[in-house]
Amino acid sequence: RDIATRMASLPRVMRAARACAETRRVAVVADCEVPAIGARDVLVEVRCATVNHIDVNAARDGYAVDVYAGAPNARRAWTPGREFSGVVRAVGAKTRGWRVGDECYGATAPTTRSGAWATYAKAPAHAVAKKPRGMTHEEASAIPFAALTAHRAVMERGRARAGERVCVLGGGGAVGTAACALAKSAGCEVVTTARASDAVRLREVIGVDEAHDYEREGFSLRRATAARAPFDLAVDCVGTARTERSAIELLKYGVGRYVTLHGDLGKHIASERGMVYGAMRGVGEYARKATITRWQRDVGYEQAVMRLDPDAMIDIARLVESGKLRVPVGEVLALEDIERACDLLRDPAVFGKIVVRVSEG
């Protein structure tokens, strides 16, 4: 009853950027229904949301579109947006620790059709954290999806432990920055590749031990291993055949672990032959690569994808509060410019997270 009362005080419709599976375009509408929340959810009035590749790939290219758009006979439209920053406007009956008016940042459920490119978004309470007072909504919105993905790669799949040497290929991006911060927090020595312009930030803010300019030195990191032991863990945020080969060659025999953020599962799920067939192919390809990597180099091979994890959000919030985790923000646009925001995401010359400002506070 309390949830119904609070929801009744809110508008029934809202602005939202809706993606269409048929037209492969995103358009802002003014009459989208405000999502209802469950007992363990919060409803957030979104101040800022970000544009991620998973959203744009689904909206523009049909990547795993059936997950978001539904069956072919459904409406085939959804609201993208995986991460946000905003203000809590309603709290589920079984949710604790949140009050209406709290400023927060967090992630929506990975397969939701009611994402954060809208005035209101619902999210599981365990995927939301309190926004630090000294951080803007633009800065806060850039953190959750990247940090949860990095936590999955470094702490769960990579099993990083204190005293180990960790290599992060592509440390200048959002996920790479978060991976470096999480590995340092775990007590690891961290070496990363990034643009020269990112090196100072990675050393001074994140605290990486070495940041190598990949534009000048490449991704091999031969210099980083010439006089010391190889790496225990390599996290590949670039995901090319070249970086995969280079990273695996840097690992310790027998105990080294390679984790890529660019596995084949998503590519195969988007297959025209359907999700079930695609999932089976993706799992088979993963098993093949893991077997070959173990046989040829005697190292582990893992793939990491983002998932909502309450323990991970605790670790991430602690790093954010301490100032040790900041994701660089690039362009900030209005929600009405969402198509341009999607274009900018795919422009390699654009630096930092693409943020859309949904509402003013």
Side-chain angles (χ1 to χ4, degrees):
R1 183 184 303 173
D2 291 341
I3 298 176
T5 300
R6 287 192 291 269
M7 292 293 291
S9 66
L10 296 169
R12 295 195 176 192
V13 295
M14 62 181 181
R15 289 165 59 246
R18 299 283 285 172
C20 177
E22 273 68 42
T23 64
R24 299 286 174 87
R25 296 188 64 81
V26 183
V28 177
V29 300
D31 59 351
C32 186
E33 186 176 346
V34 174
I37 62 172
R40 291 182 172 84
D41 295 333
V42 293
L43 184 73
V44 177
E45 183 177 359
V46 179
R47 295 286 184 253
C48 292
T50 62
V51 180
N52 288 289
H53 285 284
I54 190 171
D55 297 310
V56 178
N57 291 347
R60 293 276 182 88
D61 304 330
Y63 170 87
V65 71
D66 289 348
V67 173
Y68 308 108
N73 60 349
R75 293 181 61 188
R76 307 291 282 172
W78 75 100
T79 304
R82 301 302 112 202
E83 58 189 349
F84 58 84
S85 181
V87 181
V88 174
R89 291 305 182 205
V91 179
K94 295 183 179 180
T95 298
R96 301 291 179 266
W98 288 102
R99 295 181 301 177
V100 172
D102 286 343
E103 291 192 318
C104 65
Y105 66 99
T108 60
T111 59
T112 184
R113 298 175 191 174
S114 301
W117 294 359
T119 306
Y120 296 97
K122 71 173 182 178
H126 65 258
V128 182
K130 299 284 177 66
K131 184 183 79 67
R133 290 185 178 181
M135 179 177 283
T136 67
H137 283 291
E138 289 82 359
E139 293 170 329
S141 67
I143 292 172
F145 191 87
L148 285 166
T149 304
H151 193 280
R152 179 82 161 158
V154 175
M155 306 307 298
E156 295 180 51
R157 294 299 188 185
R159 304 182 303 280
R161 296 182 291 270
E164 291 189 324
R165 298 192 76 214
V166 176
C167 164
V168 178
L169 298 179
V175 178
T177 296
C180 291
L182 287 163
K184 285 301 297 181
S185 176
C188 301
E189 178 187 348
V190 179
V191 178
T192 187
T193 62
R195 289 191 180 99
S197 57
D198 295 327
V200 174
R201 174 179 58 85
L202 288 167
R203 283 193 291 263
E204 294 184 357
V205 178
I206 305 302
V208 301
D209 298 277
E210 297 178 32
H212 295 264
D213 180 2
Y214 73 83
E215 293 177 317
R216 184 167 58 88
E217 301 178 41
F219 290 103
S220 69
L221 288 178
R222 295 280 180 199
R223 198 176 77 186
T225 57
R228 286 169 290 174
F231 293 97
D232 300 277
L233 170 63
V235 178
D236 188 356
C237 302
V238 182
T240 65
R242 178 186 174 192
T243 57
E244 179 176 308
R245 182 175 60 253
S246 298
I248 290 173
E249 290 176 352
L250 295 172
L251 292 170
K252 295 178 181 178
Y253 285 98
V255 297
R257 290 95 65 197
Y258 169 81
V259 182
T260 179
L261 303 177
H262 298 269
D264 299 301
L265 182 59
K267 176 181 69 177
H268 290 302
I269 283 178
S271 166
E272 293 181 356
R273 299 184 67 174
M275 289 178 58
V276 174
Y277 171 83
M280 293 175 64
R281 280 216 46 200
V283 170
E285 183 65 15
Y286 163 70
R288 184 187 71 83
K289 287 188 175 183
T291 300
I292 291 175
T293 304
R294 179 60 70 183
W295 178 60
Q296 291 182 338
R297 301 290 301 183
D298 197 15
V299 298
Y301 181 97
E302 297 284 352
Q303 298 177 356
V305 294
M306 176 269 194
R307 75 168 185 176
L308 299 185
D309 183 337
D311 293 331
M313 279 302 293
I314 292 172
D315 292 343
I316 292 163
R318 177 172 50 80
L319 284 174
V320 171
E321 289 281 358
S322 69
K324 290 295 185 180
L325 177 54
R326 292 290 188 275
V327 172
V329 173
E331 298 280 343
V332 180
L333 299 93
L335 182 64
E336 283 70 21
D337 294 324
I338 190 64
E339 281 281 4
R340 180 165 174 262
C342 294
D343 292 336
L344 288 173
L345 181 73
R346 294 183 164 181
D347 185 345
V350 175
F351 169 78
K353 274 273 193 156
I354 307 300
V355 175
V356 291
R357 189 178 290 115
V358 181
S359 64
E360 301 292 339

